[in-house]
Amino acid sequence: MTSLFGLTAAAVALLMWALWVVSVVRRDASIVDIAWGLGFAMIALIGALAGLGDSHRAWLLAICTVVWGSRLGAYLYVRNGGHGEDYRYQAMRRYWGNRFPVVSLFTVFGLQGVLMWFISLPVQVAQSSPQPAHGTWLDVLGFVLWSVGFVFEAVGDAQLMRFKADPANQGKVMDRGLWRYTRHPNYFGDACLWWGLYLIAAATPGGIWTFLSPLAMTILLMRVSGVPLLEKKLTKTRPKYAEYVRRTSSFLPWPPKA
């Protein structure tokens, strides 16, 4: 198990260093967002190939993680391609000036690498455990929860992309489909699927102690880099967003208020 953790940590460090070099050359730190999901996929594949856990569970976790990470990476590539560096990194670049490349190595790429490795611990631990050597009700429940989360995230992203593609919706608030019931179906789905992966990991002896990983992902989405930053921006740029906030659940899907 220790050797697998070291192997994945080294792979993440190498990936983030390479991405940082590219970002310096291109003057675009946004590539780290596209690589976020793909990094998790890399970790899961290493775990399935090098871990000592039950092969069925190990590959179930790997497939779920690769499907999620690949879809997210492809979506962000299509959404962000040709639009330049994300506004968050532009603000950091203005603040740090010429020091930004060095600062970004630690505060952007290094930090995201550490988070990536930590959040993926349920997957790594389960892929390292040979017991139980059979499926359990936690495996089934975890896969069902992962599936619900994946549908929310994928469908929510697709609905938003179609909405933005229509010029008639310029400046309007997306309040249709899943977005009618939660202001962030993609973030809700992301949290669900990681708790689903945790439940699969909890079927193994050590997996139950990795609950801090999905908890960290949920906190990041709800309190740090997800909901707060996006809603601060939308409140300033969408005149009717405050009314949307008043009637629509922030995270958990719920019928809108009258």
Side-chain angles (χ1 to χ4, degrees), residues 77-139:
Y77 178 80
V78 172
R79 189 192 71 177
N80 299 342
H83 296 289
E85 190 173 49
D86 185 270
Y87 73 96
R88 297 167 298 167
Y89 304 122
Q90 289 182 16
M92 294 177 65
R93 192 179 293 277
R94 288 193 299 270
Y95 180 83
W96 289 106
N98 294 332
R99 291 180 292 171
F100 176 73
V102 176
V103 171
S104 68
L105 174 61
F106 301 98
T107 62
V108 177
F109 294 87
L111 177 60
Q112 290 205 30
V114 171
L115 289 172
M116 182 188 299
W117 186 86
F118 178 77
I119 292 171
S120 67
L121 277 178
V123 175
Q124 297 185 65
V125 169
Q127 290 176 325
S128 301
S129 177
Q131 299 296 330
H134 55 77
T136 71
W137 65 272
L138 280 173
D139 294 302

Side-chain angles (χ1 to χ4, degrees), residues 232-247:
K232 182 179 180 180
K233 178 184 177 182
L234 291 175
T235 301
K236 294 179 179 179
T237 59
R238 298 288 190 274
K240 295 185 178 180
Y241 195 76
E243 171 60 22
Y244 176 61
V245 169
R246 186 197 66 78
R247 69 175 185 269

Side-chain angles (χ1 to χ4, degrees), residues 19 29 84 96 105 142 163 167 172-174 179 219 231 241 245:
L19 288 170
W96 289 106
L105 174 61
F163 179 82
K172 295 183 179 179
V173 175
M174 171 55 165
W179 301 81
I219 292 174
E231 296 211 326
Y241 195 76
V245 169

